[in-house]
Amino acid sequence: MRAVFCGIFASILMVGSAVAASPGAIIANQASLEYQDLAGQPAFVVSNQVFVIAAALPSTSSIEFTRVLPAGSGTYQETVGPSACLQGGLYVNLANPTLIGGSVIDPTLVQEADVASVYNLGEPLFVRLDDSDQNLDFQLLDTVDVSIIHDASGDTEIIRLTETGLDTGIFAGYIPSARATANPGDCILQGAMNSDVRVTYTDPSDPTDSAQDVARVDPLNRVFESVTGVSVSGTQIELVFSATGLPAVVYGNDGVSQFPSSITSGGSATDSSGTSYVFGPGEFRFPVVPDGDYRLVVLPPPAFSAPSSADPNDLQNLPGAPYSLGSASFGTAFTKSGEISIGFDIPVDP
């Protein structure tokens, strides 16, 4: 019996590569088989073409609150929308956001933004998500959904973020906010002063991959006694320009309405738009302060004196700590830059 040797040569013909191809790319696979048949004659067979869609590799997500900043001052240069919100079972497109100061931006154009940990209620809350495996199609702007939650008020809004560009795997969007009673699903995040808001995300294709971030809205500062940590109401705090001692220019939450440069801890204040700010025991705040050099002039009730001579390290061991302390807390001039407001607590000595 004559032995027959069959030489087999196989190759896969591909358009692109399963590893290198961008997500959503169509990859064509076809096999060919070349051999010698039993008669010793060359033979060639080609398989049917099989088409597969390239998928992104699994990734770990990260999410953060951001704020749109003036040109030249942001870490990120990218689009910040558009954004849509779930309302009545349908996603509705949100209007272009209005920033502090009243300017309206086009979120589909490149903006400058940076991480934010504090917001004034009334300004839009921007969100940035990095999750490359949700870049499903390199030829389209993909979208993902996240939840923004205000636990204290009970408000929850679901917003749809949009990819910042083709094939980036980064998604951005926003939602307006207001100091008001919660109305879940109305596409406005509502809450009260000095409270937290959080954004949460779970990868729809991987439930084990989740991320969240937390920010403070309408944060309040405190005047407290340097021995016991007890809140001290009735303290007059005036923000002045350090060079001249003249009253500083301060704005309300909207960045437009005039706000008093001198306020009283535990009292209340009203800006020129009629918005009222009511403070709890020992609390105060200056909502929007332009960048500049300032000093806090503190006049406590007769039973106390300021500036305090206490050791800042000792103060952080008191009830109510941690406190936000800096040079301004002790009457020293300071430079305000970057943030929308100032955030110093003030100790007073008995």
Side-chain angles (χ1 to χ4, degrees):
M1 182 176 183
R2 182 168 60 91
V4 177
F5 174 78
C6 295
I8 301 177
F9 306 92
S11 63
I12 302 295
L13 306 179
M14 301 177 64
V15 178
S17 165
V19 174
S22 297
I26 298 176
I27 302 172
N29 294 291
Q30 189 173 40
S32 64
L33 180 63
E34 186 177 356
Y35 63 97
Q36 285 186 333
D37 61 19
L38 293 177
Q41 300 300 311
F44 188 79
V45 178
V46 178
S47 72
N48 294 330
Q49 272 195 325
V50 177
F51 297 93
V52 296
I53 299 176
L57 296 175
S59 63
T60 300
S61 62
S62 64
I63 197 167
E64 56 196 356
F65 283 109
T66 62
R67 173 179 286 108
V68 173
L69 300 175
S73 55
T75 300
Y76 305 123
Q77 292 81 40
E78 58 196 14
T79 61
V80 293
S83 189
C85 174
L86 184 62
Q87 188 175 51
L90 299 174
Y91 279 92
V92 297
N93 294 326
L94 295 177
N96 288 352
T98 301
L99 306 183
I100 285 179
S103 62
V104 180
I105 64 166
D106 184 345
T108 65
L109 300 179
V110 172
Q111 307 289 338
E112 298 216 25
D114 210 341
V115 177
S117 59
V118 173
Y119 290 99
N120 280 349
L121 286 168
E123 70 171 308
L125 280 59
F126 291 90
V127 175
R128 182 181 192 269
L129 170 72
D130 188 340
D131 193 11
S132 60
D133 67 9
Q134 290 307 298
N135 172 33
L136 304 179
D137 192 328
F138 76 105
Q139 301 177 95
L140 299 175
L141 294 179
D142 296 300
T143 61
V144 296
D145 299 338
V146 302
S147 297
I148 299 185
I149 304 162
H150 192 286
D151 289 313
S153 71
D155 199 359
T156 297
E157 306 295 334
I158 299 175
I159 62 172
R160 178 159 287 175
L161 313 180
T162 303
E163 198 170 11
T164 58
L166 297 178
D167 208 24
T168 66
I170 297 172
F171 305 83
Y174 55 88
I175 192 167
S177 68
R179 191 193 307 164
T181 302
N183 184 18
D186 69 347
C187 295
I188 301 174
L189 197 284
Q190 290 122 339
M193 295 174 66
N194 206 37
S195 55
D196 288 338
V197 59
R198 57 190 174 96
V199 57
T200 65
Y201 165 76
T202 300
D203 188 321
S205 59
D206 180 8
T208 65
D209 177 28
S210 62
Q212 75 168 7
D213 192 23
V214 177
R216 196 79 168 165
V217 293
D218 277 7
L220 292 166
N221 304 121
R222 297 171 287 173
V223 179
F224 64 97
E225 194 211 77
S226 62
V227 176
T228 64
V230 171
S231 298
V232 178
S233 296
T235 300
Q236 181 181 325
I237 308 106
E238 184 178 18
L239 183 67
V240 301
F241 292 112
S242 60
T244 63
L246 295 175
V249 176
V250 184
Y251 300 101
N253 271 19
D254 60 8
V256 177
S257 304
Q258 294 290 321
F259 186 90
S261 61
S262 179
I263 56 178
T264 302
S265 65
S268 63
T270 303
D271 66 26
S272 61
S273 72
T275 299
S276 179
Y277 306 75
V278 179
F279 310 127
E283 295 175 343
F284 72 97
R285 76 185 295 248
F286 295 102
V288 177
V289 178
D291 290 350
D293 298 321
Y294 301 99
R295 188 165 60 87
L296 289 171
V297 178
V298 179
L299 181 62
F304 303 90
S305 65
S308 173
S309 60
D311 185 324
N313 294 321
D314 294 337
L315 296 176
Q316 298 295 9
N317 294 319
L318 294 175
Y323 296 103
S324 179
L325 301 175
S327 61
S329 304
F330 301 91
T332 303
F334 66 97
T335 298
K336 182 266 174 187
S337 177
E339 292 291 343
I340 57 175
S341 184
I342 59 174
F344 298 104
D345 295 328
I346 300 173
V348 294
D349 296 338

